[in-house]
Every structure is written in C-alpha cells, then in structure tokens.
Amino acid sequence: MEQPILEMKSITKEFPGVKALDDVTFSVAKGEIHCLVGENGAGKSTLVKVLSGVHPYGTYSGEIFINGEPQKFSGIRDSENAGIAIIYQELALVPELSVYDNIFLGNEITNGLTIDSYETIKQAADILKKVGLDVNPETKVKTLGVGKQQLIEIAKALKKDVKILILDEPTAALNETDSDNLLELIKGLKKQGVTCILISHKLREVLAVADTITVLRDGKTICTLDNREHQVRESTLIRHMVGRSIDNVFPKRKKIEIGEEVLRLENWSAYSPALGRQILKDININVHAGEIVGIAGLMGSGRTELAKSIFGNPDRYHVSGKIFIKGKEQKFRNPHDAIISQLAYVTEDRKGNGLILIQDVKTNITLSNLREITERGIINENEEIVVANNYKESLNIKTPSIEQKVLNLSGGNQQKVSLGKWLFVKPGVMILDEPTRGIDVGAKYEIYTIMNSLVERGMSIIMISSELPEILGMSDRVYVMSGGQIKGELTGEEATQEKIMEIAVEY
Amino acid sequence: MSDEKSDPAKPNIFSEVLSLLSANFSQYFMFIALIVIMLIFTIATDGGFISSRNISNLLNQMGYIAVLAVGMTLIIVIRHIDLSVGYLAGFLGAFAAIAMTSWGLPVYVVIPVVLILGALSGLLTSLPIAKLGVPAFVSTMAAGLIFRGALLLVTMGTGTIIIRDPIFNAIGNGFIPDIPDFGFLDDRHKVTLIIGVIAIIFSIISAIRSRRKKISYNFEVSSPSMFILQMILTSAIIGYVVWLLSGYNGLSWSLVIVLIVVALFTFITTKTPLGRHIYAVGGNPEAAELSGISVARITQLVFAFMGVLSALSGILYASRLQSATTTAGLGFETDAIAAAFVGGVSAAGGVGTIIGSFIGALVMMSLTSGMNLMGIDISIQYIVRGAVLVGAVIVDRATRKGR
C-alpha cells in the first residue's frame, strides 16, 4: 500500500478533567477526500487543532507524520509550511476589503514599497478561476453572499502551496446550490492532487463525496470506512457515531387535531433601508394551533427577514401589511410587544443574537420573562434556580450546573438553553430559525422530540430550515420562499425534496 | 489545591476557603490588592496611613470620584464610555453655587434641581448614541466640551464662587452628629459605633435569612464552619473600619452619601430586572433586543443615571472646596474610568460590579493618599497610578481567560 500523506498515531490530548482525544489513530491517503464525522464533542475539532499546531507539539502525546516524516508543529506557521491549510466554519475575511486584498492578506505582493495592485488582481483572478468563482476581484467581500465568501476562503488557502486542505463544516451556512458547488469544487481539487479532509454534520454530503470516512466518538477512533464505491449507508454511519441505532431520524408524533388559526399575515411586505431594497413582498401565510409549519427556501430567500419582521421588527425594516394573532390584528413596535402577544423567536445564530454567552445558563433562561420570578420589584433568585433546573431536567441540558457560562456548552446544549429561554415565556407560536444547525445527531433527535411534545400540547411552531429532510420529516405544511416571496405551499404529504427545490429555485 | 492530598476523605475548612478563592479569584483579587497596598503604606509610614485621621480623610476625599465610578461602571458595562462627566460635574457644581449665592435659592431646592439637571444632561448626551448610533466617545466628548464652555461662561464674571451655605458645605466636610458623653468611650464617636453595630447585626441576620431560604429550597449551601468564618470576616471588616472612623469625628456625610449610592446601585444591578437588562445589553445587545429589551431605552437610562451621579459628584466637590472654581471637574472622568477598570469592569461589556469599582476607587485614592504621606513627588505618583491601572487590567484579563 502506498505511504499515506498524513498519519496521526496514538494521539492523546487531555484538558483539565477531560480526555478530548484518547489514543486516536488517523491516516489519510494521498489525493483522497477523507471525511471526519462524529457528534459534537467527539474530538474532531481537537484533532484538527492538534494537526494544525494550535495545540503545539508537547501538549499532546502521540506522533504526526506527513509523507512519512515526523512533524513537531509549534504553531500554525509550522503546519502551514508543511502544506496544511484549514478553513474554519467561521469565516476569517475582512468584509470592508476587496476580494483580492483578502486573498493576499498577510502575503501582499509589493513592488518594493507599495502594493502592486495590477499584479495582485491578475493573480487573484487566476486563483478565483481555479475555485470557479466568477466575481470581479475588486468587489468588496461584504457585498458577496456566504457561499461566495466560503469560496474566497478556499481561494486564499490555495494561493499557498497546499497539500492537505481541511474544511471544518464548510457547508453549514450554505444553501443547497452553494453546498453542491462547494462539493463539486472539492472533487475538482482532488483531481488536481489536493488531499481534502472534510468535517461535516451533513451525512448525505459526506456519503456523496467521501472516499474514506473516519468516525470519532468520545475522543476515540471508532472505525474507518471505505466509501469509494459509495457503499456506506447513512444508518450505518449514524449507528457508529452515536453508538446506538437510530431507526428513525425523526421521532413519531401523535396524530392530533389541527386547531384554530393562531397567526395570519396579510400582504406582508418589507423594505430594508440598510440594504436599500425590498426584502419581503406580499406574503400571506397562516399558522394553526398544534401545527408545525416549515419554511423552506434557499439562503437569501428572506426567511430570517420574515421571522424578524414578524417578531417586532428589531432591524427596523419599513413594513406594510397586517398581522393577526388569534384573529385580532396586532401592531408590534418591538420584540417586547411580540413576546407579550405570546410569540417567541429562537434565532438562527445562537452565538450572535440568541444567547448571552458570558452569562450563565439560568440568567439566559429567565431573561425574557423576568417578570415571572420578580416579586415586588426584586428578582427571586431561588425561584430562578428552580425554574432553570426544571428546564435543565425537562430539556436534558447537559451542563455541570446552571451556573455554568453558556459559552462553555456544546452547540446542541446551547440550543436547548435557547429553547428553554423561549419556552419560559410560555409562547403560543414559536418561530424556530434553523433549530438544528451545527448540532449533532443525538441532540437533533432530542430537539425534534421536544418540538413534537410542544405541538401535542397545542403550541404552534414555524420552523425555518435549510435542511430539506428536516423540513419533510417535521412539517405538517411547508411554505417555500424565494426572492422574498412565498412561491408555493405544500402539505406534508405532497412535499418532496424535488418539489421544494423546484419551487425554491424559481425566481 | 495541594492540601487536598493531605486529607481527601473529609474536606476541611481550609480547602473550602482555597477552592472558593481559586474559583472566584478575579472577584477577590481587588480586595487582596487593596489590603496589600494598605499594608505597604502602613509599614512605609510607620502606621500613619492606617490612622483614624488619615483613613477618614481618604474616604471623604474619594466621595466625588466614587459616585462617578459607580455610574461609569454601568456605562462601560453597556459598552459605552462617558467623557463628559468631569465637566458636567464642574458645571453643575458652579450652577449650584450661583443658584445659592446669586439667586439666593435655598439649598433644599438647589440640590434636587441640580440632580434633575444632571439626569436631563445625561439623557440629552445619550440621544445621539441611543437613537442614531453615534459612538459614545464622540457624543460625550462633544458634550464635555459644551459643559466646559458652560462652566467658563457661568463663572466668567465672578471667577471662583465662594459658597457660604453651611448646610451645603457640610455635605463635603461635615460629620454625623454624636450623642453627649456619658463616661464610656468618650474618646470615640458613639453614634458611628452604634451604626456599625447595627450594620453588623443587619448583615448577619440577612445572611442567615438567605441561607435559611436556600435550605428551604433544598439548595446546596456552604458548610456551617465556612458560613461562620464568612460572618466573622465580614463583621471584623465592618467593625474595624467603624472603629477607625469613630476615633476621628465619625462617619462623614460624604461617606454616608457614597455608601447609600453604592448600596442602591448594587441593589439595582443584582436584584432587579432592570439590572439584568443592563448586563444583558452589555453582554449581547442583539440578543437583548430580541429578548424584548429595548437597548435604546436602557442606554438612555444608564446615561441619565450617570448624569445624576455627575451632578452629585459636582455637589460633593463644590461642597468640599466650599466654592466653585473654573477648573472644577478637570480629569474626573479619567479617575472614574480608571477606578472602574481597576475594579474589574471589562471594556468588552457585560462584566463588572458596583462594589468592584468602589474598591477600585479606594485603591486609586489609597495610592494618592499613601504616596502623599510618604512625600513622593506628584510626577512619580502619576507613573505609579498608571502602572497600577494597567497592571490590574492585565491581571484581570489573565485570570478571567482560563474560565
């Protein structure tokens, strides 16, 4: 057998109190696409950090070989020099700078003193062609969508002499089209001889592109599967990841009567002064008690904007149209008004605008409904602990204590804190924006179960999601958005991935 | 940590103290730093620093900075800064002086009017910040220039205005009255001692109450010996400070005001929904807004608080000098910001306590007082204070990072 390009042998990495990696062995053949999968906390990120020198040599035990040569990285510089490039989930681009400036940031081409713009732009254009991105290199990065920004990140990596490209959840923020483009690009890079290590939660794409799949669980290598003939099945993968067989990714829901209409939008439109364009146009939707309504659509189709415009319009769009809550017209001046009308909005971006990361679990849970635990103007902190502990129990939030800062929790548990926070306002309609983004299979299942139990109790859920299986598996009804409009409505029975995509790409 | 090995079977009081200290190091660091600084000065001045007279002076001098530091804490917690507070204090001090001396208004009218003016000024300064997103740095710097101009304008004809109102002047210089001597502790200020005893009893009762409440909820509480140790420590600190003060005129009105302000704002920040909202806005403004909190309203309110406290600072300062001068307020904002940062407020927002900033003000004032006693030149004093400021922030960052 040919010598592997990368070999990590018996890697063990401990943090105070936890063994993040326990005797992990990981071997990547030259020119393959090797996918690394596992639940959150399985050790994927730690493994990548060891490989990239973020955790320098000496802080872990075990050996790293590249082309058979032992490596002792003391920092990212060393691993970059060895031909390793990592693209993280959070993009590291400077929005105000142009595409070419970003690509050559830190490696500027100069003619002695000043930046040689002509040469830079020329080279940038070449690299952009390589990643199949058709944009003017002089465009400012902030004007581009996430998908294109992701490609610029890759272009930036390719500018250096990359042998091993590591992508950490590259498609998490991308819509189907952009994801497909990216995966095609990775396959193209493979043909050019670049070895790719892909970390992803999206098992379908893993199965579609991977030559080899390594599963990590609880800091250990569970197995390495050959997928060159696409013979690995999703259920097999899931079984290895969670150590148990999930027969059905979506929990069954009791059949319940759909109740009265609880929310209706009539001719709802919005204009964003910041963007200078119409973002929502003539939207008419309704939601009934005990119903999960899915909102599908590509990135940029206006789904989050729709949610925010309903939820008190914090971004100050100019909106027109009418909202009816339980048949009565309401005008929300701010999110507070929406909360009073029993609306809740679990945001897409937990870290950005969902939770207060530097505060603890209990403070986050009670924030939107402090009134409930306040007596004569004073917060009853003991009552607060009781409330928070209740949600910790009922939502199975895995945290050593409710005094733990939210930033120390995993994505899935942060999402449960978000859910707890919004359940505590006792809403009638809950808008969940990408409720399972970036969280592992086990936690996803738990969140689906929670959603089912909520609608069984008569609550209504509007679920915005980019994952079509989730939309299909959970929704009673699906609205498909495109270009700020509702382009179609499908019942749970008639909806298929193909039908939804057909509508979503319609412009 | 190391003592855990000695007897792992039963946790002793010593290990409980250590684990509490290490878990909350950044919280206790300021207390420890303060005690170290005081010890150093006490040794360097042969006990002169810790004398009743010096401690009393120190606490009275710091009043006008301490109240500003309280307001500045909230401002920095919500990720802003207020550079206008010094001149606002100076201007409102002068306004109070003119209102009493030139217009002949009585002191009990002047003080509330000045406080309200302070609130309005703070609110006005905050409008561009809260409504239009103008950076606080710019808006408050502009406001500071305007207040400075206003101060010069009102003192133009007169220059320094001497204040002759005895009640007003007592705020910064007077002490609380005492009962007549009756042959016991005649060299001490008895009312101060009585207040001290009441404070100790009150702190013990409220601690026991909160512990009982916790037990009734079945929550974990510290061990009884640890609890008693904490009680003894708190009582000892209150007792010692009160004992010191009672040896020299007792509690000053200025200290009483500062303590009330610190207590009031500690209550607001830790016990009320408003406090939670302030820290939520500081921790993550977008999340706060989506949680139903109006960031604009919280911003305006915090700046209004700052305005009131600036007015109070101006009153304390003018009263202490018994006059309003054309340069009053110069550099107050720097001292207040330094006190807040030394006290553990984070520039990134969302973190910082009122008590911390009060201790920070005490640290900075102790440095000034101690170095003055030692006869250290003002030039060196500035350098030392600068070094302590940056050192405190470095230690704070380093100890927080790991958690």
Side-chain angles (χ1 to χ4, degrees), chain B residues 15-286:
Chain B
S15 71
E16 201 173 341
V17 170
L18 265 189
S19 73
L20 191 73
L21 270 183
S22 66
N24 300 295
F25 182 75
S26 50
Q27 274 178 35
Y28 294 118
F29 172 70
M30 275 329 300
F31 282 96
I32 297 165
L34 178 64
I35 291 169
V36 169
I37 287 169
M38 289 187 147
L39 273 177
I40 291 171
F41 282 130
T42 302
I43 294 164
T45 58
D46 289 329
F49 180 81
I50 205 74
S51 70
S52 289
R53 183 197 172 86
N54 190 54
I55 293 296
S56 176
N57 276 337
L58 189 160
L59 290 173
N60 300 342
Q61 273 165 18
M62 73 177 278
Y64 69 95
I65 293 300
V67 294
L68 285 181
V70 167
M72 197 59 81
T73 306
L74 301 184
I75 296 273
I76 300 175
V77 160
I78 63 163
R79 304 181 173 195
H80 289 305
I81 195 78
D82 193 338
L83 302 176
S84 71
V85 297
Y87 288 113
L88 180 57
F91 166 63
L92 289 176
F95 182 88
I98 291 167
M100 284 181 298
T101 51
S102 304
W103 308 341
L105 288 175
V107 64
Y108 51 84
V109 172
V110 169
I111 288 175
V113 165
V114 167
L115 292 178
I116 291 167
L117 276 179
L120 292 176
S121 309
L123 195 63
L124 205 62
T125 308
S126 78
L127 288 182
I129 303 165
K131 297 285 183 196
L132 301 172
V134 172
F137 191 89
V138 177
S139 182
T140 61
M141 192 162 77
L145 290 173
I146 293 168
F147 295 137
R148 179 172 200 182
L151 169 61
L152 292 176
L153 203 63
V154 294
T155 54
M156 193 144 58
T158 52
T160 299
I161 307 162
I162 306 294
I163 301 168
R164 299 188 200 286
D165 188 296
I167 300 174
F168 188 85
N169 288 341
I171 295 170
N173 299 295
F175 294 85
I176 61 170
D178 200 4
I179 48 174
D181 291 348
F182 55 94
F184 179 62
L185 288 173
D186 280 350
D187 57 335
R188 294 275 156 185
H189 193 277
K190 289 167 287 296
V191 171
T192 299
L193 287 178
I194 293 167
I195 289 173
V197 170
I198 293 171
I200 289 172
I201 293 172
F202 183 77
S203 85
I204 291 176
I205 290 176
S206 70
I208 291 175
R209 259 209 196 144
S210 118
R211 189 182 164 85
R212 283 224 184 106
K213 202 80 181 261
K214 280 205 173 109
I215 292 171
S216 80
Y217 272 89
N218 271 330
F219 294 159
E220 218 174 288
V221 288
S222 53
S223 70
S225 45
M226 181 72 196
F227 179 69
I228 290 167
L229 187 75
Q230 279 175 327
M231 291 289 80
I232 293 173
L233 214 65
T234 319
S235 307
I237 291 171
I238 300 175
Y240 183 62
V241 173
V242 167
W243 182 253
L244 272 180
L245 292 178
S246 72
Y248 180 81
N249 290 341
L251 271 174
S252 64
W253 285 116
S254 146
L255 184 58
V256 168
I257 290 170
V258 170
L259 291 179
I260 290 172
V261 166
V262 168
L264 178 68
F265 279 91
T266 298
F267 173 78
I268 291 174
T269 51
T270 60
K271 300 287 176 199
T272 68
L274 173 60
R276 284 295 173 82
H277 290 177
I278 290 171
Y279 282 84
V281 167
N284 186 344
E286 286 88 18

Side-chain angles (χ1 to χ4, degrees), chain A residues 172-243:
Chain A
L174 304 188
N175 60 40
E176 300 271 328
T177 328
D178 285 344
S179 296
D180 289 346
N181 283 342
L182 185 78
L183 296 174
E184 281 307 314
L185 171 65
I186 293 173
K187 286 191 209 163
L189 291 174
K190 175 183 155 186
K191 289 197 186 105
Q192 295 170 34
V194 178
T195 310
C196 282
I197 300 174
L198 177 67
I199 298 176
S200 180
H201 279 305
K202 295 189 181 170
L203 300 183
R204 259 178 343 107
E205 64 185 39
V206 166
L207 294 170
V209 300
D211 297 312
T212 315
I213 303 168
T214 293
V215 182
L216 288 183
R217 186 171 81 222
D218 303 328
K220 295 192 181 76
T221 317
I222 298 302
C223 59
T224 298
L225 305 167
D226 184 355
N227 190 43
R228 268 172 297 187
E229 316 290 332
H230 300 289
Q231 65 271 53
V232 180
R233 304 217 341 242
E234 187 167 330
S235 55
T236 321
L237 218 46
I238 291 175
R239 202 178 63 235
H240 286 303
M241 283 167 68
V242 298

Side-chain angles (χ1 to χ4, degrees), chain A residues 352 355 379 381 383-384 421, chain B residues 217 271 276 284 287 290-291:
Chain A
L355 296 167
I379 294 171
E381 287 167 85
E383 207 54 56
E384 177 171 42
K421 162 183 171 169
Chain B
Y217 272 89
K271 300 287 176 199
R276 284 295 173 82
N284 186 344
L290 284 172
S291 300

